[in-house]
Amino acid sequence: MKRYLKHYINGEWVESTGSETTEVINPATEEAFGEISLGTKEDLDKAVQAARDAFPHFSQMPKEERVKMLEDIAEEYNNRKDDIIDTITEELGSPVEVSEKVHFMMGYNHFAQAAESLKNFPFIEEHEGHTRMKEASGVSGLITPWNFPTNQTSTKIASAFAAGSPVILKPAEQTPFAAFILTEIFDKVGVPKGVFNLVNGTGEVIGDGISSHEDIDFVSFTGSGATGEKIMKNAAENITNVALELGGKSPLIVLDDADVKDAARAALTHITNNTGQVCSAATRTLIPSSMKDEFEQAIKDVLPEFKVGDPHGGNHMGPIVSQKQWDTVQSYMEKGTEEGATLLVGGPGKPEGLEQGYYAKPTVFTEVDNDMVIAREEIFGPVMCVLTYDSLDEAIEIANDTEYGLAGYVYGKDEEKLRKASAGIRAGRVKVNDTKADFAAPFGGYKHSGIGREWGDHGIEEYLEVKTILGYPHK
């Protein structure tokens, strides 16, 4: 059993002022494999004070020193590669290959990219008649989700460090152990005391405490829309700035000239990667009406490539993170049938031979209307809705008929149609075909998908305030 019963405050591991703990469950076995302490308001107050004390010095640390610090973090992060992969596989149920190629690498890339972006980041800009200075906004509270224990955590921390902002991190209770490894990395490379603080706990105590704390200057949250709304309300009481990366119901527009089998494979990849627990996943696949029969057959043909099972067994998809989330996903599968959608593959229940572990079947519904619940609400599991269209204009209209706008995807060959579709989708990020991720490119959403942008230069900007000076003396 892993037991991390201390918080990290002001450069030291300290006992919690409370006695409450919670178990961490391995979703592949449904058994507890660890335990963490649940922090108190007093623990949070100590962390906030440590960060405030660190702010004057850290915010003025020369840029070159912060670059070196981020590069050292990336190097030590790489040294802990095996520990990070093993931990994510155990706490999230992520297949080993996914833990390495997705989770580990995304965390590494955020620290490396932040260092690179910082090298030429303009903190002072001269304009005719005035000078603009960008200064660290202050103490930042970071609240991160369970589905990517390194990605969202690393991009927030790396950007905050680049900006000169001390932080307090509250990781998700379901997947907290990757954050402990990050803390050990920061401690080893000598991140100044008070610059990074880790307080575990519940959303009701530590999450609410961060978003309503009068001495926290900025809050960055990734998670559900309902929680994001609560964070905004809490922060509004102190006029605290917030950045929110929330849900999605992203469309994948398949053009009429796409290779059908490749398009089916791309669509299934979206709902099976990380077991569909991805806010930006394409969960609504839009295909030409003329392609319907061929696409449905291609889904059936390609599906065996996406094996579900033991994270250590070379499978593509592992379990869902918890019993609660498994139940939620199952309820949506049942809802789809109740609404009149046609179940093409998958459906409720566990895959054959996988009775232990929170495993679910990759599920595809056809004959889906965009007004159905399964087409409008974020399921956060391996469930795809297939919708048809008769013209590209109609496809774009369906794609945008959602309260979300986090991501969009276009798959096909005709360059003019690819440009029209990608420009027409109202979302913060649109990916054309199989383009690789760019960690310098901003990430964030329109509408109910959030406020603000992360990654690269835009991520650093989140943790800065702009000061205008008239008559600033030139050097």
Side-chain angles (χ1 to χ4, degrees):
M1 287 280 284
K2 295 183 179 181
R3 287 188 171 87
Y4 282 86
L5 302 181
K6 294 183 178 181
H7 308 296
Y8 187 81
I9 299 174
N10 201 32
E12 297 179 350
W13 292 103
V14 299
E15 299 284 350
S16 177
T17 58
S19 59
E20 191 175 357
T21 64
T22 189
E23 291 183 331
V24 181
I25 305 297
N26 181 329
T29 65
E30 303 184 39
E31 296 176 353
F33 76 99
E35 184 181 19
I36 60 169
S37 177
L38 296 179
T40 66
K41 183 180 182 302
E42 186 177 350
D43 294 327
L44 177 60
D45 287 342
K46 289 178 179 179
V48 172
Q49 187 59 55
R52 294 207 73 80
D53 291 344
F55 176 68
H57 177 265
F58 186 58
S59 62
Q60 298 303 312
M61 177 186 285
K63 180 169 70 172
E64 294 74 19
E65 292 183 24
R66 294 207 298 276
V67 169
K68 177 64 165 56
M69 186 181 78
L70 286 164
E71 290 175 338
D72 289 346
I73 290 170
E75 181 179 357
E76 182 58 24
Y77 182 98
N78 192 53
N79 292 338
R80 297 294 299 274
K81 179 177 181 178
D82 290 343
D83 292 337
I84 293 169
I85 292 169
D86 291 346
T87 295
I88 292 175
T89 298
E90 198 167 21
E91 67 182 359
L92 182 61
S94 171
V96 173
E97 185 175 3
V98 178
S99 296
E100 177 181 1
K101 294 183 177 180
V102 178
H103 294 282
F104 168 78
M105 285 308 304
M106 291 189 85
Y108 174 83
N109 282 325
H110 284 307
F111 287 113
Q113 182 61 56
E116 193 62 31
S117 296
L118 181 58
K119 289 176 182 178
N120 298 307
F121 191 90
F123 286 92
I124 299 179
E125 297 176 343
E126 300 290 350
H127 293 263
E128 186 175 352
H130 72 276
T131 299
R132 299 174 195 173
M133 299 185 69
K134 298 176 182 179
E135 301 179 333
S137 57
V139 174
S140 297
L142 315 179
I143 306 170
T144 56
W146 49 260
N147 61 321
F148 280 91
T150 54
N151 175 44
Q152 279 103 339
T153 304
S154 295
T155 189
K156 295 179 193 300
I157 295 170
S159 295
F161 285 179
S165 175
V167 306
I168 299 97
L169 171 67
K170 188 209 97 65
E173 304 98 290
Q174 298 93 330
T175 56
F177 292 125
F180 283 100
I181 296 176
L182 287 177
T183 306
E184 292 166 358
I185 290 168
F186 302 151
D187 188 76
K188 184 169 182 178
V189 304
V191 171
K193 288 187 175 183
V195 169
F196 175 80
N197 303 275
L198 171 70
V199 181
N200 274 290
T202 64
E204 291 77 13
V205 176
I206 305 303
D208 283 352
I210 287 174
S211 59
S212 61
H213 206 291
E214 62 182 7
D215 288 325
I216 288 179
D217 303 289
F218 175 72
V219 177
S220 181
F221 167 76
T222 299
S224 72
T227 304
E229 181 180 341
K230 187 175 183 181
I231 284 171
M232 285 193 73
K233 290 178 179 178
N234 288 344
E237 295 182 5
N238 295 310
I239 319 297
T240 302
N241 284 331
V242 300
L244 306 173
E245 198 261 276
L246 307 175
K249 198 69 182 175
S250 301
L252 165 60
I253 298 178
V254 178
L255 300 182
D256 56 10
D257 62 356
D259 180 283
V260 179
K261 186 162 284 190
D262 286 347
R265 186 176 288 111
L268 283 170
T269 297
H270 271 281
I271 65 158
T272 56
N273 276 353
N274 212 42
T275 318
Q277 300 166 136
V278 183
C279 54
S280 58
T283 52
R284 291 182 300 143
T285 301
L286 282 59
I287 61 171
S289 299
S290 60
M291 189 186 287
K292 182 177 182 296
D293 292 343
E294 190 179 359
F295 184 82
E296 290 178 2
Q297 185 58 51
I299 288 288
K300 294 178 181 178
D301 292 342
V302 172
L303 185 62
E305 298 176 14
F306 298 85
K307 297 186 183 301
V308 183
D310 183 357
H312 296 279
N315 294 296
H316 177 82
M317 192 175 102
I320 288 173
V321 72
S322 67
Q323 179 72 57
K324 179 181 178 181
Q325 185 61 24
W326 189 88
D327 289 341
T328 296
V329 172
Q330 297 299 305
S331 70
Y332 277 108
M333 291 178 180
E334 293 167 358
K335 184 68 174 177
T337 301
E338 292 170 4
E339 289 185 302
T342 299
L343 180 63
L344 181 67
V345 295
K350 294 184 178 182
E352 186 176 352
L354 294 173
E355 296 308 314
Q356 185 178 41
Y358 307 124
Y359 294 98
K361 303 171 190 174
T363 296
V364 178
F365 285 102
T366 62
E367 311 289 343
V368 177
D369 186 282
N370 205 45
D371 290 330
M372 292 180 179
V373 170
I374 58 170
R376 304 206 70 81
E377 296 184 7
E378 186 177 43
I379 298 173
F380 228 59
V383 181
M384 181 204 307
C385 298
V386 179
L387 302 92
T388 58
Y389 67 87
D390 294 318
S391 70
L392 185 53
D393 286 336
E394 183 188 9
I396 294 170
E397 182 179 352
I398 295 170
N400 292 332
D401 182 18
T402 173
E403 66 181 17
Y404 297 110
L406 185 57
Y409 304 85
V410 188
Y411 208 90
K413 299 174 184 177
D414 185 283
E415 291 186 1
E416 183 177 346
K417 290 181 179 179
L418 289 172
R419 281 193 292 268
K420 178 177 180 178
S422 57
I425 295 173
R426 288 188 52 77
R429 173 175 287 195
V430 179
K431 182 178 178 180
V432 177
N433 292 326
D434 296 319
T435 305
K436 293 183 179 179
D438 181 351
F439 287 85
F443 181 85
Y446 291 15
K447 300 185 281 189
H448 284 205
S449 287
I451 299 170
R453 295 294 183 270
E454 297 183 309
W455 299 33
D457 287 357
H458 279 73
I460 299 173
E461 295 274 5
E462 290 284 359
Y463 298 85
L464 297 171
E465 295 280 10
V466 177
K467 176 190 289 183
T468 300
I469 303 180
L470 304 175
Y472 189 75
H474 294 270
K475 291 184 179 180

